[in-house]
């Protein structure tokens, strides 16, 4: 759909799909599946978020359990696309093995790659992350790489051939929001050839809107929704925030000015 803006220009309102490797998504909010008080709350939150792609920690589920009430079966039955992840891996070797197990069990080349450096900060081990990304891409995987907010590491992951690069806003589960928007802005400026998804640290809807206003292609949210007092309401709030932030980015914000400028014209004032 097109509308005419204040300058008489035709503006495309409907957004194009988010394309990550073979994926074509019509929502820019990716969801996690852990930490909910119960399964029904998770399903209600996913629906409220308008989710299409849901990430699942392979090391924390039983891949052999395909009963009707298993997590994988529930997600499949409700029409969600599963994105396996390597959460809990501390070396490239572990991450590659977990990805290969996920591919065999779930028949997908998609993998969200996480290689963690320690238990306290859960920050990525960059050396092991780059090593694992290289091996998985060479093995035919579609890699969405979770990383720190370092522009150089993000550029290296993009150059390796990752389908998406996913810098953190702040440490996993902290809810601290965008602690370094300057670096996130640099990453967006440096990388325009690969989808960028803000992953980890989102605490509430306004954080998601801020990430999208920086020009990011999407956000992945888990704890901000699953650990909210009312997860389903928060899922709806984050959904709208992502949409609003995306629209604001596409609209183009007004310039920042150090001094005030009146919104009404000075010419033609009474008495002048």
């Amino acid at each position: 759909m097109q509308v005419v803006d204040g300058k008489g220009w035709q503006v495309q309102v409907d957004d194009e799909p988010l394309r990550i490797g073979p994926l074509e998504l019509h929502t820019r909010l990716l969801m996690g599946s852990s930490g909910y008080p119960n399964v029904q709350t998770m399903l209600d939150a996913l629906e409220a978020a308008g989710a299409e792609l849901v990430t699942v920690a392979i090391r924390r589920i039983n891949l052999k359990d395909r009963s009707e009430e298993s997590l994988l079966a529930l997600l499949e039955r409700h029409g969600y696309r599963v994105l396996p992840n390597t959460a809990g891996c501390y070396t490239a070797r572990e991450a590659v093995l977990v990805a290969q197990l996920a591919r065999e069990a779930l028949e997908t080349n998609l993998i969200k790659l996480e290689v963690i450096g320690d238990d306290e900060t859960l920050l990525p081990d960059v050396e092991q992350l780059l090593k694992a990304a290289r091996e998985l891409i060479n093995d035919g995987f579609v890699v969405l790489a979770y990383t720190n907010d370092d522009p150089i590491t993000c550029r290296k992951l993009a150059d390796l051939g990752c389908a998406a690069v996913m810098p953190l806003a702040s440490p996993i589960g902290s809810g601290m929001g965008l602690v370094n928007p300057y670096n996130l802005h640099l990453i967006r400026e440096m990388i325009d050839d690969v989808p960028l998804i803000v992953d980890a640290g989102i605490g509430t809807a306004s954080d998601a809107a801020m990430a999208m206003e920086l020009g990011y292609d999407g956000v992945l949210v888990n704890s901000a929704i699953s650990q909210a007092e009312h997860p389903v309401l928060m899922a709806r709030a984050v959904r709208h925030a992502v949409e609003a932030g995306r629209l604001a980015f596409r609209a183009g914000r007004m310039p920042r000015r150090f001094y005030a400028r009146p919104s009404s014209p000075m010419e033609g004032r009474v008495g002048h």
Side-chain angles (χ1 to χ4, degrees):
M1 179 179 68
Q2 290 187 333
V3 297
V4 179
D5 72 2
K7 298 180 180 179
W9 295 342
Q10 294 287 330
V11 180
Q12 187 71 27
V13 175
D14 296 335
D15 203 358
E16 62 184 15
L18 171 58
R19 293 181 174 86
I20 302 175
L23 293 173
E24 182 174 290
L25 304 174
H26 296 88
T27 175
R28 292 172 182 268
L29 173 56
L30 286 61
M31 294 281 284
S33 58
S34 65
Y36 286 91
N38 54 66
V39 171
Q40 189 57 54
T41 299
M42 178 196 73
L43 292 173
D44 291 344
L46 294 178
E47 182 178 3
E52 294 178 57
L53 189 66
V54 181
T55 185
V56 173
I58 295 302
R59 296 197 70 171
R60 295 171 184 154
I61 64 170
N62 182 359
L63 290 172
K64 295 181 180 179
D65 181 9
R66 291 307 182 92
S67 64
E68 289 188 0
E69 298 307 312
S70 70
L71 176 60
L72 292 173
L74 284 170
L75 292 174
E76 182 178 339
R77 189 160 66 246
H78 285 81
Y80 298 112
R81 185 80 176 264
V82 171
L83 172 63
N85 70 56
T86 63
C89 293
Y90 292 83
T91 66
R93 182 179 179 182
E94 282 183 294
V96 169
L97 176 59
V98 169
Q100 291 170 341
L101 290 173
R103 179 166 63 182
E104 182 177 343
L106 304 180
E107 299 181 346
T108 179
N109 285 332
L110 292 172
I111 193 71
K112 183 193 168 202
L113 176 61
E114 300 180 28
V115 187
I116 301 304
D118 66 60
D119 287 323
E120 186 172 359
T121 66
L122 299 180
L123 292 173
D125 183 320
V126 172
E127 180 183 6
Q128 295 295 310
L129 173 65
L130 291 170
K131 181 180 179 181
R134 184 179 295 107
E135 291 185 28
L136 289 170
I137 291 167
N138 289 339
D139 194 22
F141 281 89
V142 177
V143 176
L144 293 77
Y146 163 71
T147 184
N148 53 26
D149 58 353
D150 169 34
I152 304 304
T153 301
C154 290
R155 182 68 263 176
K156 287 183 178 181
L157 288 165
D159 290 343
L160 282 174
C162 289
V165 178
M166 308 177 75
L168 55 80
S170 51
I172 293 172
S174 68
M176 291 295 292
L178 280 65
V179 297
N180 198 342
Y182 174 75
N183 267 27
L184 290 176
H185 181 74
L186 276 179
I187 293 166
R188 178 73 281 180
E189 287 290 310
M190 290 175 61
I191 301 175
D192 60 4
D193 54 342
V194 172
L196 293 176
I197 310 293
V198 169
D199 178 19
I202 297 294
T204 189
S206 57
D207 298 331
M210 186 182 298
M212 297 302 294
E213 287 180 11
L214 286 174
Y216 276 72
D217 298 289
V219 297
L220 194 154
V221 182
N222 191 163
S223 298
I225 293 174
S226 68
Q227 296 182 26
E229 186 174 349
H230 299 289
V232 179
L233 289 180
M234 183 60 78
R236 189 177 303 162
V238 173
R239 175 183 184 172
H240 290 310
V242 168
E243 293 171 354
R246 175 68 177 173
L247 283 172
F249 170 73
R250 294 174 62 212
R253 63 159 293 140
M254 65 171 286
R256 288 183 172 90
R257 303 185 180 97
F258 190 74
Y259 292 104
R261 177 179 294 184
S263 56
S264 299
M266 301 294 288
E267 298 77 10
R269 290 178 298 166
V270 175
H272 289 269

